[in-house]
Structures are given as structure tokens and as C-alpha cells.
Amino acid sequence: MQLEAAIVLVITFFFLLAMSVPVSFSIITSALVTIIMFLTPQFGMFISAQKMVSGIDSFTLLAVPFFILAGQLMGSGGIAKRLINLEY
């Protein structure tokens, strides 16, 4: 059953790419088609939601917006200018 699901996923994905569908929509559509064909809808949506949440639950990904926030705070507070000029 896993092999058949993988084959359906890959064939659907490449078929949609051949039809000039954007990659993001091709991934979403092929995943939904595979979920509908091989899993119950409740179980498929549960797995999809769990994978999406675990995908963004990363300290590395959280560092990027906080780094940008720190830069904005330093720029608006004047600390960045003093650090670059090395003046007191």
C-alpha cells in the first residue's frame, strides 16, 4: 500500500507540473489526492496538521524574525548608530 501511495503521489505531482501548475499548488494537490485515496479524511487531516505544526516548530526558524526585531529595536533606539560610530 505504501508503494502504491508513493506512485500516485509522484505521478500526480509530475502530471500537474506538466500541465503548468505552479509547484506549490502541485505539491498541495498531489498530497491531498493521495490522502483522499489512501487514508480516511479525518486521519489524513490530522497527520497533515501535525506535520505542518512540527515543521514550523524550530528554534532555528524562530531566530530569524527575532534577529530582525533586534535590528529594528537597535536602529530605532540609536544603539546601532553608536556602535558603528564608536562614539559615546
Side-chain angles (χ1 to χ4, degrees):
M1 182 167 154
Q2 292 176 355
L3 182 62
E4 292 90 7
I7 291 171
V8 168
L9 182 70
V10 170
I11 289 174
T12 307
F13 176 70
F14 284 116
F15 174 74
L16 290 171
L17 285 181
M19 299 292 294
S20 299
V21 176
V23 174
S24 59
F25 293 125
S26 298
I27 292 172
I28 292 170
T29 306
S30 60
L32 287 177
V33 166
T34 307
I35 286 171
I36 289 170
M37 288 181 67
F38 292 99
L39 297 175
T40 62
Q42 293 83 14
F43 188 64
M45 290 303 130
F46 174 74
I47 290 175
S48 299
Q50 184 180 18
K51 291 292 183 182
M52 284 190 282
V53 168
S54 67
I56 62 171
D57 186 28
S58 168
F59 289 115
T60 307
L61 290 177
L62 286 175
V64 174
F66 284 129
F67 185 78
I68 294 171
L69 176 66
Q72 288 292 327
L73 290 174
M74 288 174 64
S76 65
I79 298 172
K81 190 174 221 174
R82 285 186 275 175
L83 282 174
I84 292 173
N85 290 334
L86 297 175
E87 295 177 5
Y88 293 94

